[in-house]
Amino acid sequence: MKLRYSAAWVGLTAAAMVAATACGSESAGSATESAGKAAESAGKAADTAVSKADTIMAALSRATDRTEELGSAEVRTTTDLGTGEPIAMDGTYSWGDGYALDVEMDTEAVQMQDLTDSPTVRTLFVDGAYYYDIDPQPDGPLEGKEWIRIDGSVVFGESGAAAFSGSGGASPADSMKGLKYASDVEDLGAENVNGKPTTHYRAVLDEKDLGKFKEAFSGADSMLDSTGGDSITMDIWVGEKDLPVRLEQEFGAMKVTMDFDRFGATEKIVAPPAQEVADLSEEAKSSGATAG
């Protein structure tokens, strides 16, 4: 039995990274009066730039802390692979005690119509593994089972998968930390998103900025390699109460957009009962299942 995979779920769980760059400025001086005036002018411009950067960092710091504090959200996600119709994933995301999600995906879009008659596939990511809700099959490795399990290491490698589990797992707050510490964050001004007033920020992160998530994005068959990119462009729209309204990431040809409808007060995401699960991680590894 050969299973086929979409990169949609990969793009979503690989959304977080931490950047470690810092903003700075230079000053100039001269012995001549004209040079002194030029230096004074440059200093004022630098002070203005630093002040603006500080304002951006303060706004993103508040949004990051607030998002991390709430710990979960109802999210509508669209993944555009650049090869056809975008794939929608709508449901719950949680973070803090490890990254987890519980979403519905279009069955045909993720090419799982041979495994379920339902128009959507319920998909979980919990405890470092993916679970796909299917119809019990009459024979083979899925006989009588209601879920397929694929370990995260099949997608990200052992080190990359570890970055998405445990108390230091990935989250939208981690993505926002990437913006918070990047030296080239831009404030693109006020925009209305989903009927809400927001401020739009943008940063471009390359491999050196990925921190502990580098293993998930670097090397052969990595996230960036498989999508034809060498950097990640990240946009965030921050609304009222210092919470993100939209988070958008571009990895080469892939674009992942997350619209946040409601924060907090979501149910805990748990793995299905073991007796209902068929673990096909080894089969997926041997068949070469990757992000692409």
Side-chain angles (χ1 to χ4, degrees), residues 206-221:
D206 58 26
E207 192 173 300
K208 67 179 174 58
D209 298 319
L210 298 179
K212 68 176 182 176
F213 297 100
K214 183 175 180 179
E215 293 290 337
F217 290 84
S218 60
D221 295 326

PDB file of all heavy atoms in Angstrom, residues 206-221:
ATOM      1  N   ASP A 206      16.697  34.054   7.328  1.00  0.00           N
ATOM      2  CA  ASP A 206      17.369  32.997   6.590  1.00  0.00           C
ATOM      3  C   ASP A 206      17.789  31.900   7.563  1.00  0.00           C
ATOM      4  O   ASP A 206      17.469  31.935   8.747  1.00  0.00           O
ATOM      5  CB  ASP A 206      18.545  33.533   5.768  1.00  0.00           C
ATOM      6  CG  ASP A 206      19.570  34.250   6.630  1.00  0.00           C
ATOM      7  OD1 ASP A 206      19.658  33.928   7.843  1.00  0.00           O
ATOM      8  OD2 ASP A 206      20.280  35.114   6.105  1.00  0.00           O
ATOM      9  N   GLU A 207      18.529  30.910   7.070  1.00  0.00           N
ATOM     10  CA  GLU A 207      18.827  29.722   7.860  1.00  0.00           C
ATOM     11  C   GLU A 207      19.511  30.032   9.182  1.00  0.00           C
ATOM     12  O   GLU A 207      19.233  29.408  10.202  1.00  0.00           O
ATOM     13  CB  GLU A 207      19.693  28.772   7.030  1.00  0.00           C
ATOM     14  CG  GLU A 207      19.831  27.386   7.625  1.00  0.00           C
ATOM     15  CD  GLU A 207      20.560  26.446   6.687  1.00  0.00           C
ATOM     16  OE1 GLU A 207      20.077  26.230   5.566  1.00  0.00           O
ATOM     17  OE2 GLU A 207      21.621  25.938   7.091  1.00  0.00           O
ATOM     18  N   LYS A 208      20.385  31.037   9.194  1.00  0.00           N
ATOM     19  CA  LYS A 208      21.131  31.337  10.423  1.00  0.00           C
ATOM     20  C   LYS A 208      20.235  31.887  11.520  1.00  0.00           C
ATOM     21  O   LYS A 208      20.623  31.897  12.698  1.00  0.00           O
ATOM     22  CB  LYS A 208      22.268  32.319  10.129  1.00  0.00           C
ATOM     23  CG  LYS A 208      21.798  33.724   9.714  1.00  0.00           C
ATOM     24  CD  LYS A 208      22.973  34.643   9.460  1.00  0.00           C
ATOM     25  CE  LYS A 208      22.518  35.990   8.911  1.00  0.00           C
ATOM     26  NZ  LYS A 208      21.574  36.690   9.811  1.00  0.00           N
ATOM     27  N   ASP A 209      19.041  32.361  11.162  1.00  0.00           N
ATOM     28  CA  ASP A 209      18.121  32.942  12.138  1.00  0.00           C
ATOM     29  C   ASP A 209      17.161  31.926  12.750  1.00  0.00           C
ATOM     30  O   ASP A 209      16.336  32.293  13.578  1.00  0.00           O
ATOM     31  CB  ASP A 209      17.275  34.047  11.478  1.00  0.00           C
ATOM     32  CG  ASP A 209      18.108  35.198  10.960  1.00  0.00           C
ATOM     33  OD1 ASP A 209      19.051  35.607  11.656  1.00  0.00           O
ATOM     34  OD2 ASP A 209      17.815  35.684   9.857  1.00  0.00           O
ATOM     35  N   LEU A 210      17.253  30.654  12.355  1.00  0.00           N
ATOM     36  CA  LEU A 210      16.214  29.697  12.726  1.00  0.00           C
ATOM     37  C   LEU A 210      16.396  29.087  14.110  1.00  0.00           C
ATOM     38  O   LEU A 210      15.495  28.424  14.608  1.00  0.00           O
ATOM     39  CB  LEU A 210      16.144  28.572  11.676  1.00  0.00           C
ATOM     40  CG  LEU A 210      15.785  29.025  10.268  1.00  0.00           C
ATOM     41  CD1 LEU A 210      15.760  27.843   9.318  1.00  0.00           C
ATOM     42  CD2 LEU A 210      14.444  29.741  10.245  1.00  0.00           C
ATOM     43  N   GLY A 211      17.575  29.255  14.724  1.00  0.00           N
ATOM     44  CA  GLY A 211      17.784  28.741  16.068  1.00  0.00           C
ATOM     45  C   GLY A 211      17.573  27.242  16.148  1.00  0.00           C
ATOM     46  O   GLY A 211      18.057  26.474  15.331  1.00  0.00           O
ATOM     47  N   LYS A 212      16.796  26.812  17.165  1.00  0.00           N
ATOM     48  CA  LYS A 212      16.621  25.380  17.409  1.00  0.00           C
ATOM     49  C   LYS A 212      15.815  24.690  16.318  1.00  0.00           C
ATOM     50  O   LYS A 212      15.794  23.463  16.245  1.00  0.00           O
ATOM     51  CB  LYS A 212      15.943  25.162  18.764  1.00  0.00           C
ATOM     52  CG  LYS A 212      14.487  25.625  18.819  1.00  0.00           C
ATOM     53  CD  LYS A 212      13.875  25.280  20.156  1.00  0.00           C
ATOM     54  CE  LYS A 212      12.420  25.698  20.217  1.00  0.00           C
ATOM     55  NZ  LYS A 212      11.769  25.306  21.468  1.00  0.00           N
ATOM     56  N   PHE A 213      15.150  25.460  15.431  1.00  0.00           N
ATOM     57  CA  PHE A 213      14.362  24.860  14.361  1.00  0.00           C
ATOM     58  C   PHE A 213      15.172  24.660  13.081  1.00  0.00           C
ATOM     59  O   PHE A 213      14.640  24.251  12.069  1.00  0.00           O
ATOM     60  CB  PHE A 213      13.118  25.702  14.088  1.00  0.00           C
ATOM     61  CG  PHE A 213      12.201  25.765  15.264  1.00  0.00           C
ATOM     62  CD1 PHE A 213      12.209  26.866  16.094  1.00  0.00           C
ATOM     63  CD2 PHE A 213      11.377  24.710  15.574  1.00  0.00           C
ATOM     64  CE1 PHE A 213      11.397  26.917  17.215  1.00  0.00           C
ATOM     65  CE2 PHE A 213      10.554  24.751  16.681  1.00  0.00           C
ATOM     66  CZ  PHE A 213      10.568  25.859  17.508  1.00  0.00           C
ATOM     67  N   LYS A 214      16.489  24.931  13.140  1.00  0.00           N
ATOM     68  CA  LYS A 214      17.333  24.836  11.956  1.00  0.00           C
ATOM     69  C   LYS A 214      17.287  23.440  11.345  1.00  0.00           C
ATOM     70  O   LYS A 214      17.267  23.280  10.129  1.00  0.00           O
ATOM     71  CB  LYS A 214      18.773  25.211  12.312  1.00  0.00           C
ATOM     72  CG  LYS A 214      19.712  25.222  11.125  1.00  0.00           C
ATOM     73  CD  LYS A 214      21.088  25.713  11.548  1.00  0.00           C
ATOM     74  CE  LYS A 214      22.050  25.733  10.367  1.00  0.00           C
ATOM     75  NZ  LYS A 214      23.388  26.225  10.763  1.00  0.00           N
ATOM     76  N   GLU A 215      17.270  22.401  12.202  1.00  0.00           N
ATOM     77  CA  GLU A 215      17.278  21.023  11.708  1.00  0.00           C
ATOM     78  C   GLU A 215      16.036  20.709  10.872  1.00  0.00           C
ATOM     79  O   GLU A 215      16.076  19.886   9.976  1.00  0.00           O
ATOM     80  CB  GLU A 215      17.379  20.024  12.866  1.00  0.00           C
ATOM     81  CG  GLU A 215      18.702  20.077  13.613  1.00  0.00           C
ATOM     82  CD  GLU A 215      19.844  19.551  12.767  1.00  0.00           C
ATOM     83  OE1 GLU A 215      19.579  18.776  11.840  1.00  0.00           O
ATOM     84  OE2 GLU A 215      20.999  19.935  13.035  1.00  0.00           O
ATOM     85  N   ALA A 216      14.923  21.363  11.177  1.00  0.00           N
ATOM     86  CA  ALA A 216      13.684  21.107  10.454  1.00  0.00           C
ATOM     87  C   ALA A 216      13.672  21.769   9.085  1.00  0.00           C
ATOM     88  O   ALA A 216      12.882  21.415   8.226  1.00  0.00           O
ATOM     89  CB  ALA A 216      12.483  21.590  11.273  1.00  0.00           C
ATOM     90  N   PHE A 217      14.558  22.745   8.888  1.00  0.00           N
ATOM     91  CA  PHE A 217      14.542  23.529   7.658  1.00  0.00           C
ATOM     92  C   PHE A 217      15.781  23.358   6.790  1.00  0.00           C
ATOM     93  O   PHE A 217      15.784  23.771   5.635  1.00  0.00           O
ATOM     94  CB  PHE A 217      14.401  25.020   8.001  1.00  0.00           C
ATOM     95  CG  PHE A 217      13.061  25.399   8.529  1.00  0.00           C
ATOM     96  CD1 PHE A 217      12.771  25.243   9.870  1.00  0.00           C
ATOM     97  CD2 PHE A 217      12.078  25.887   7.695  1.00  0.00           C
ATOM     98  CE1 PHE A 217      11.523  25.591  10.368  1.00  0.00           C
ATOM     99  CE2 PHE A 217      10.829  26.239   8.190  1.00  0.00           C
ATOM    100  CZ  PHE A 217      10.559  26.091   9.522  1.00  0.00           C
ATOM    101  N   SER A 218      16.871  22.797   7.320  1.00  0.00           N
ATOM    102  CA  SER A 218      18.125  22.768   6.585  1.00  0.00           C
ATOM    103  C   SER A 218      18.454  21.374   6.078  1.00  0.00           C
ATOM    104  O   SER A 218      17.933  20.381   6.566  1.00  0.00           O
ATOM    105  CB  SER A 218      19.269  23.272   7.476  1.00  0.00           C
ATOM    106  OG  SER A 218      19.403  22.458   8.623  1.00  0.00           O
ATOM    107  N   GLY A 219      19.322  21.315   5.063  1.00  0.00           N
ATOM    108  CA  GLY A 219      19.772  20.042   4.530  1.00  0.00           C
ATOM    109  C   GLY A 219      18.884  19.520   3.417  1.00  0.00           C
ATOM    110  O   GLY A 219      17.874  20.102   3.040  1.00  0.00           O
ATOM    111  N   ALA A 220      19.297  18.376   2.863  1.00  0.00           N
ATOM    112  CA  ALA A 220      18.546  17.753   1.766  1.00  0.00           C
ATOM    113  C   ALA A 220      17.150  17.374   2.232  1.00  0.00           C
ATOM    114  O   ALA A 220      16.951  16.919   3.358  1.00  0.00           O
ATOM    115  CB  ALA A 220      19.293  16.506   1.281  1.00  0.00           C
ATOM    116  N   ASP A 221      16.166  17.584   1.372  1.00  0.00           N
ATOM    117  CA  ASP A 221      14.757  17.274   1.647  1.00  0.00           C
ATOM    118  C   ASP A 221      14.206  18.095   2.817  1.00  0.00           C
ATOM    119  O   ASP A 221      13.221  17.714   3.445  1.00  0.00           O
ATOM    120  CB  ASP A 221      14.556  15.779   1.951  1.00  0.00           C
ATOM    121  CG  ASP A 221      14.882  14.920   0.752  1.00  0.00           C
ATOM    122  OD1 ASP A 221      14.639  15.365  -0.385  1.00  0.00           O
ATOM    123  OD2 ASP A 221      15.410  13.809   0.946  1.00  0.00           O
TER     124      ASP A 221
END
